[in-house]
């Protein structure tokens, strides 16, 4: 450090915050380790696909074809990115309103799915594709896990006990 100060007298040194660094590094490692089982197979198959096409004799194996294949073949990646980007908003909504908020969300989601399915979507100027898309399945999973179904459980138990 003294050599650096000699060469650059206006050098400003900050005190290290080792505990903060250790905390964030541990958090970063947890993120990487949780994503590793998903990313390694994804990267493996994303690299195998163009090699496989090359061995099959596909002449058009340039970068543009690979990018086009990646954009269409891996459609689920873009869906997951969209869900992860909107997830903090939905999470704060559900944390604030709880099960009732999830139920309101699911009602809107179900109506939008029905309208989309029958080709009657009167809200053509109002984009509700997140309500009619994959995000609803995430909220539905939350609702199914956290909702108590006493009536249904009692009915099933009584049905099988008779």
């Amino acid at each position: 450090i003294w050599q650096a100060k000699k060469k650059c007298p206006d050098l400003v040194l900050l005190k290290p915050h080792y505990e903060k660094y250790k905390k964030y590094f541990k958090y970063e490692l947890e993120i990487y380790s949780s994503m590793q089982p998903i990313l390694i197979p994804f990267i493996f198959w994303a690299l195998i696909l163009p090699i496989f096409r090359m061995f099959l004799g596909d002449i058009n194996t340039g970068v543009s074809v690979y990018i086009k294949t990646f954009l269409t073949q891996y459609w689920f990646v873009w869906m997951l990115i969209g869900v992860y980007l909107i997830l903090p908003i939905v999470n704060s909504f559900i944390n604030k309103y709880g099960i009732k908020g999830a139920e309101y969300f699911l009602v809107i989601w179900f109506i939008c799915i029905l309208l989309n399915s029958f080709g009657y979507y009167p809200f053509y100027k109002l984009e509700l594709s997140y309500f009619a898309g994959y995000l609803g399945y995430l909220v539905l999973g939350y609702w199914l896990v956290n909702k108590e179904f006493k009536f249904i459980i009692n009915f099933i138990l009584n049905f099988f006990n008779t």
Side-chain angles (χ1 to χ4, degrees):
I1 296 177
W2 63 271
Q3 289 177 343
K5 278 262 197 196
K6 189 189 285 185
K7 291 188 178 194
C8 184
D10 294 332
L11 179 67
V12 177
L13 297 174
L14 302 174
K15 291 183 178 183
H17 297 283
Y18 181 71
E19 291 303 319
K20 285 184 181 179
Y21 170 76
K22 190 176 174 182
K23 175 183 159 188
Y24 289 113
F25 184 72
K26 183 180 176 187
Y27 179 67
E28 188 176 328
L29 280 177
E30 287 176 9
I31 291 173
Y32 288 143
S33 64
S34 68
M35 293 190 73
Q36 187 176 7
I38 297 168
L39 285 177
I40 290 177
F42 176 73
I43 292 171
F44 173 77
W45 289 110
L47 294 175
I48 289 295
L49 180 65
I51 294 170
F52 184 70
R53 290 184 73 182
M54 202 167 51
F55 282 120
L56 286 178
D58 191 359
I59 299 170
N60 300 323
T61 55
V63 174
S64 64
V65 172
Y66 179 69
I67 291 173
K68 181 181 177 187
T69 303
F70 184 80
L71 291 176
T72 57
Q73 191 80 20
Y74 300 112
W75 60 270
F76 56 90
V77 174
W78 312 116
M79 179 269 304
L80 287 173
I81 289 171
V83 168
Y84 281 127
L85 288 176
I86 199 80
L87 194 58
I89 297 168
V90 174
N91 189 21
S92 64
F93 175 78
I94 290 178
N95 283 338
K96 185 173 182 178
Y97 296 108
I99 289 290
K100 284 291 182 193
E103 288 171 350
Y104 289 130
F105 184 94
L106 289 172
V107 166
I108 294 171
W109 175 65
F110 188 70
I111 290 170
C112 289
I113 284 180
L114 284 177
L115 291 174
N116 257 351
S117 297
F118 295 118
Y120 181 71
Y121 198 70
F123 312 113
Y124 63 92
K125 290 191 179 194
L126 179 63
E127 180 61 40
L128 293 175
S129 63
Y130 280 112
F131 287 109
Y134 301 100
L135 189 61
Y137 294 109
L138 188 69
V139 177
L140 180 62
Y142 167 82
W143 182 75
L144 288 172
V145 167
N146 294 306
K147 179 74 174 174
E148 291 186 28
F149 297 100
K150 291 180 182 177
F151 173 75
I152 295 172
I153 292 172
N154 288 336
F155 176 76
I156 291 172
L157 289 175
N158 290 333
F159 182 75
F160 286 112
N161 284 335
T162 57

